[in-house]
Amino acid sequence: MTPERPLKLTGVSKWFGNFQAVRDLDFDVPKGSIVGFLGPNGAGKSTSLRMALGVMSTARGSVSLFGAPPNLHALKRVG
């Protein structure tokens, strides 16, 4: 069974030293949707996507990819 929200980030934050790259991000992708992630350089897009895929850990908050924390099985389903 596929969850209704294949990707959900709740209250996600990430710091690099004293620099906060992502602050309290809430992001939710509905099942069957196509989503673009836009923003200026340095806005935290790549960092957010890396956390969403489990490539990078979060400093705070939670990530759900296909209903579970990011894992290798779920990552194989991402295109």
Side-chain angles (χ1 to χ4, degrees):
M1 183 166 120
T2 304
E4 289 299 312
R5 302 289 183 204
L7 176 61
K8 184 174 180 92
L9 285 78
T10 306
V12 171
S13 295
K14 182 69 175 182
W15 285 266
F16 296 102
N18 291 327
F19 177 72
Q20 188 169 19
V22 178
R23 182 182 353 184
D24 300 324
L25 176 63
D26 291 318
F27 186 77
D28 181 343
V29 177
K31 181 179 175 182
S33 64
I34 297 172
V35 176
F37 212 55
L38 305 173
N41 291 345
K45 301 176 300 293
S46 295
T47 299
S48 297
L49 291 175
R50 286 181 180 125
M51 290 186 292
L53 298 176
V55 174
M56 180 181 287
S57 64
T58 65
R60 184 172 61 207
S62 65
V63 176
S64 172
L65 183 61
F66 298 110
N71 58 64
L72 186 57
H73 177 70
L75 193 55
K76 290 180 179 181
R77 298 178 60 193
V78 174

